[in-house]
mmCIF file with all atom_site columns, all heavy atoms in Angstrom:
data_model
loop_
_atom_site.group_PDB
_atom_site.id
_atom_site.type_symbol
_atom_site.label_atom_id
_atom_site.label_alt_id
_atom_site.label_comp_id
_atom_site.label_asym_id
_atom_site.label_entity_id
_atom_site.label_seq_id
_atom_site.pdbx_PDB_ins_code
_atom_site.Cartn_x
_atom_site.Cartn_y
_atom_site.Cartn_z
_atom_site.occupancy
_atom_site.B_iso_or_equiv
_atom_site.pdbx_formal_charge
_atom_site.auth_seq_id
_atom_site.auth_comp_id
_atom_site.auth_asym_id
_atom_site.auth_atom_id
_atom_site.pdbx_PDB_model_num
ATOM 1  N N   . SER A 1 104 ? -132.874 -55.359 55.420 1.00 96.00 ? 104 SER A N   1
ATOM 2  C CA  . SER A 1 104 ? -133.362 -54.220 54.790 1.00 96.00 ? 104 SER A CA  1
ATOM 3  C C   . SER A 1 104 ? -134.699 -54.423 54.081 1.00 96.00 ? 104 SER A C   1
ATOM 4  O O   . SER A 1 104 ? -134.853 -54.678 52.880 1.00 96.00 ? 104 SER A O   1
ATOM 5  C CB  . SER A 1 104 ? -132.284 -53.669 53.688 1.00 96.00 ? 104 SER A CB  1
ATOM 6  O OG  . SER A 1 104 ? -132.792 -52.517 53.015 1.00 96.00 ? 104 SER A OG  1
ATOM 7  N N   . PRO A 1 105 ? -135.813 -54.391 54.851 1.00 95.00 ? 105 PRO A N   1
ATOM 8  C CA  . PRO A 1 105 ? -137.097 -54.667 54.274 1.00 95.00 ? 105 PRO A CA  1
ATOM 9  C C   . PRO A 1 105 ? -137.604 -53.806 53.200 1.00 95.00 ? 105 PRO A C   1
ATOM 10 O O   . PRO A 1 105 ? -138.237 -54.290 52.247 1.00 95.00 ? 105 PRO A O   1
ATOM 11 C CB  . PRO A 1 105 ? -138.034 -54.625 55.542 1.00 95.00 ? 105 PRO A CB  1
ATOM 12 C CG  . PRO A 1 105 ? -137.317 -53.806 56.443 1.00 95.00 ? 105 PRO A CG  1
ATOM 13 C CD  . PRO A 1 105 ? -135.955 -54.057 56.323 1.00 95.00 ? 105 PRO A CD  1
ATOM 14 N N   . ARG A 1 106 ? -137.255 -52.534 53.150 1.00 95.00 ? 106 ARG A N   1
ATOM 15 C CA  . ARG A 1 106 ? -137.620 -51.651 52.153 1.00 95.00 ? 106 ARG A CA  1
ATOM 16 C C   . ARG A 1 106 ? -136.993 -52.034 50.795 1.00 95.00 ? 106 ARG A C   1
ATOM 17 O O   . ARG A 1 106 ? -137.663 -52.035 49.789 1.00 95.00 ? 106 ARG A O   1
ATOM 18 C CB  . ARG A 1 106 ? -137.290 -50.187 52.477 1.00 95.00 ? 106 ARG A CB  1
ATOM 19 C CG  . ARG A 1 106 ? -138.160 -49.551 53.635 1.00 95.00 ? 106 ARG A CG  1
ATOM 20 C CD  . ARG A 1 106 ? -137.768 -48.117 53.788 1.00 95.00 ? 106 ARG A CD  1
ATOM 21 N NE  . ARG A 1 106 ? -138.680 -47.487 54.860 1.00 95.00 ? 106 ARG A NE  1
ATOM 22 C CZ  . ARG A 1 106 ? -138.518 -46.272 55.202 1.00 95.00 ? 106 ARG A CZ  1
ATOM 23 N NH1 . ARG A 1 106 ? -137.627 -45.359 54.689 1.00 95.00 ? 106 ARG A NH1 1
ATOM 24 N NH2 . ARG A 1 106 ? -139.315 -45.669 56.231 1.00 95.00 ? 106 ARG A NH2 1
ATOM 25 N N   . THR A 1 107 ? -135.751 -52.297 50.864 1.00 97.00 ? 107 THR A N   1
ATOM 26 C CA  . THR A 1 107 ? -135.067 -52.835 49.623 1.00 97.00 ? 107 THR A CA  1
ATOM 27 C C   . THR A 1 107 ? -135.656 -54.090 49.095 1.00 97.00 ? 107 THR A C   1
ATOM 28 O O   . THR A 1 107 ? -135.936 -54.310 47.912 1.00 97.00 ? 107 THR A O   1
ATOM 29 C CB  . THR A 1 107 ? -133.603 -53.012 49.955 1.00 97.00 ? 107 THR A CB  1
ATOM 30 O OG1 . THR A 1 107 ? -132.936 -51.858 50.416 1.00 97.00 ? 107 THR A OG1 1
ATOM 31 C CG2 . THR A 1 107 ? -132.781 -53.516 48.567 1.00 97.00 ? 107 THR A CG2 1
ATOM 32 N N   . ALA A 1 108 ? -136.049 -54.976 50.072 1.00 97.00 ? 108 ALA A N   1
ATOM 33 C CA  . ALA A 1 108 ? -136.529 -56.339 49.706 1.00 97.00 ? 108 ALA A CA  1
ATOM 34 C C   . ALA A 1 108 ? -137.995 -56.092 49.123 1.00 97.00 ? 108 ALA A C   1
ATOM 35 O O   . ALA A 1 108 ? -138.223 -56.721 48.090 1.00 97.00 ? 108 ALA A O   1
ATOM 36 C CB  . ALA A 1 108 ? -136.671 -57.221 51.007 1.00 97.00 ? 108 ALA A CB  1
ATOM 37 N N   . LEU A 1 109 ? -138.780 -55.243 49.666 1.00 96.00 ? 109 LEU A N   1
ATOM 38 C CA  . LEU A 1 109 ? -140.045 -54.891 49.083 1.00 96.00 ? 109 LEU A CA  1
ATOM 39 C C   . LEU A 1 109 ? -139.885 -54.392 47.759 1.00 96.00 ? 109 LEU A C   1
ATOM 40 O O   . LEU A 1 109 ? -140.827 -54.631 46.769 1.00 96.00 ? 109 LEU A O   1
ATOM 41 C CB  . LEU A 1 109 ? -140.839 -54.071 50.130 1.00 96.00 ? 109 LEU A CB  1
ATOM 42 C CG  . LEU A 1 109 ? -141.364 -54.717 51.362 1.00 96.00 ? 109 LEU A CG  1
ATOM 43 C CD1 . LEU A 1 109 ? -141.929 -53.668 52.338 1.00 96.00 ? 109 LEU A CD1 1
ATOM 44 C CD2 . LEU A 1 109 ? -142.421 -55.825 51.085 1.00 96.00 ? 109 LEU A CD2 1
ATOM 45 N N   . PHE A 1 110 ? -139.044 -53.386 47.597 1.00 97.00 ? 110 PHE A N   1
ATOM 46 C CA  . PHE A 1 110 ? -138.873 -52.699 46.306 1.00 97.00 ? 110 PHE A CA  1
ATOM 47 C C   . PHE A 1 110 ? -138.536 -53.793 45.216 1.00 97.00 ? 110 PHE A C   1
ATOM 48 O O   . PHE A 1 110 ? -139.114 -53.892 44.089 1.00 97.00 ? 110 PHE A O   1
ATOM 49 C CB  . PHE A 1 110 ? -137.887 -51.634 46.342 1.00 97.00 ? 110 PHE A CB  1
ATOM 50 C CG  . PHE A 1 110 ? -137.427 -51.188 44.931 1.00 97.00 ? 110 PHE A CG  1
ATOM 51 C CD1 . PHE A 1 110 ? -138.168 -50.313 44.239 1.00 97.00 ? 110 PHE A CD1 1
ATOM 52 C CD2 . PHE A 1 110 ? -136.168 -51.620 44.354 1.00 97.00 ? 110 PHE A CD2 1
ATOM 53 C CE1 . PHE A 1 110 ? -137.832 -49.832 43.004 1.00 97.00 ? 110 PHE A CE1 1
ATOM 54 C CE2 . PHE A 1 110 ? -135.811 -51.151 43.070 1.00 97.00 ? 110 PHE A CE2 1
ATOM 55 C CZ  . PHE A 1 110 ? -136.635 -50.316 42.393 1.00 97.00 ? 110 PHE A CZ  1
ATOM 56 N N   . LEU A 1 111 ? -137.607 -54.680 45.535 1.00 98.00 ? 111 LEU A N   1
ATOM 57 C CA  . LEU A 1 111 ? -137.137 -55.696 44.632 1.00 98.00 ? 111 LEU A CA  1
ATOM 58 C C   . LEU A 1 111 ? -138.260 -56.797 44.377 1.00 98.00 ? 111 LEU A C   1
ATOM 59 O O   . LEU A 1 111 ? -138.424 -57.337 43.273 1.00 98.00 ? 111 LEU A O   1
ATOM 60 C CB  . LEU A 1 111 ? -135.927 -56.426 45.219 1.00 98.00 ? 111 LEU A CB  1
ATOM 61 C CG  . LEU A 1 111 ? -134.563 -55.587 45.131 1.00 98.00 ? 111 LEU A CG  1
ATOM 62 C CD1 . LEU A 1 111 ? -133.499 -56.295 45.865 1.00 98.00 ? 111 LEU A CD1 1
ATOM 63 C CD2 . LEU A 1 111 ? -134.253 -55.283 43.658 1.00 98.00 ? 111 LEU A CD2 1
ATOM 64 N N   . LEU A 1 112 ? -139.074 -57.006 45.288 1.00 97.00 ? 112 LEU A N   1
ATOM 65 C CA  . LEU A 1 112 ? -140.257 -57.853 45.126 1.00 97.00 ? 112 LEU A CA  1
ATOM 66 C C   . LEU A 1 112 ? -141.191 -57.348 44.155 1.00 97.00 ? 112 LEU A C   1
ATOM 67 O O   . LEU A 1 112 ? -141.706 -57.843 43.164 1.00 97.00 ? 112 LEU A O   1
ATOM 68 C CB  . LEU A 1 112 ? -140.948 -58.140 46.483 1.00 97.00 ? 112 LEU A CB  1
ATOM 69 C CG  . LEU A 1 112 ? -142.336 -58.911 46.311 1.00 97.00 ? 112 LEU A CG  1
ATOM 70 C CD1 . LEU A 1 112 ? -142.113 -60.333 45.754 1.00 97.00 ? 112 LEU A CD1 1
ATOM 71 C CD2 . LEU A 1 112 ? -143.005 -59.075 47.723 1.00 97.00 ? 112 LEU A CD2 1
ATOM 72 N N   . ALA A 1 113 ? -141.507 -55.935 44.218 1.00 97.00 ? 113 ALA A N   1
ATOM 73 C CA  . ALA A 1 113 ? -142.370 -55.240 43.411 1.00 97.00 ? 113 ALA A CA  1
ATOM 74 C C   . ALA A 1 113 ? -141.752 -55.275 41.903 1.00 97.00 ? 113 ALA A C   1
ATOM 75 O O   . ALA A 1 113 ? -142.531 -55.537 40.965 1.00 97.00 ? 113 ALA A O   1
ATOM 76 C CB  . ALA A 1 113 ? -142.697 -53.884 43.778 1.00 97.00 ? 113 ALA A CB  1
ATOM 77 N N   . LEU A 1 114 ? -140.431 -55.049 41.856 1.00 98.00 ? 114 LEU A N   1
ATOM 78 C CA  . LEU A 1 114 ? -139.795 -55.008 40.608 1.00 98.00 ? 114 LEU A CA  1
ATOM 79 C C   . LEU A 1 114 ? -139.817 -56.479 39.924 1.00 98.00 ? 114 LEU A C   1
ATOM 80 O O   . LEU A 1 114 ? -140.220 -56.632 38.775 1.00 98.00 ? 114 LEU A O   1
ATOM 81 C CB  . LEU A 1 114 ? -138.444 -54.640 40.631 1.00 98.00 ? 114 LEU A CB  1
ATOM 82 C CG  . LEU A 1 114 ? -137.538 -54.593 39.437 1.00 98.00 ? 114 LEU A CG  1
ATOM 83 C CD1 . LEU A 1 114 ? -138.288 -53.712 38.301 1.00 98.00 ? 114 LEU A CD1 1
ATOM 84 C CD2 . LEU A 1 114 ? -136.086 -54.116 39.645 1.00 98.00 ? 114 LEU A CD2 1
ATOM 85 N N   . GLY A 1 115 ? -139.625 -57.457 40.759 1.00 98.00 ? 115 GLY A N   1
ATOM 86 C CA  . GLY A 1 115 ? -139.653 -58.856 40.209 1.00 98.00 ? 115 GLY A CA  1
ATOM 87 C C   . GLY A 1 115 ? -141.088 -59.266 39.704 1.00 98.00 ? 115 GLY A C   1
ATOM 88 O O   . GLY A 1 115 ? -141.140 -59.913 38.666 1.00 98.00 ? 115 GLY A O   1
#
Side-chain angles (χ1 to χ4, degrees):
S104 178
R106 289 186 178 181
T107 303
L109 287 169
F110 169 77
L111 290 169
L112 173 61
L114 178 59

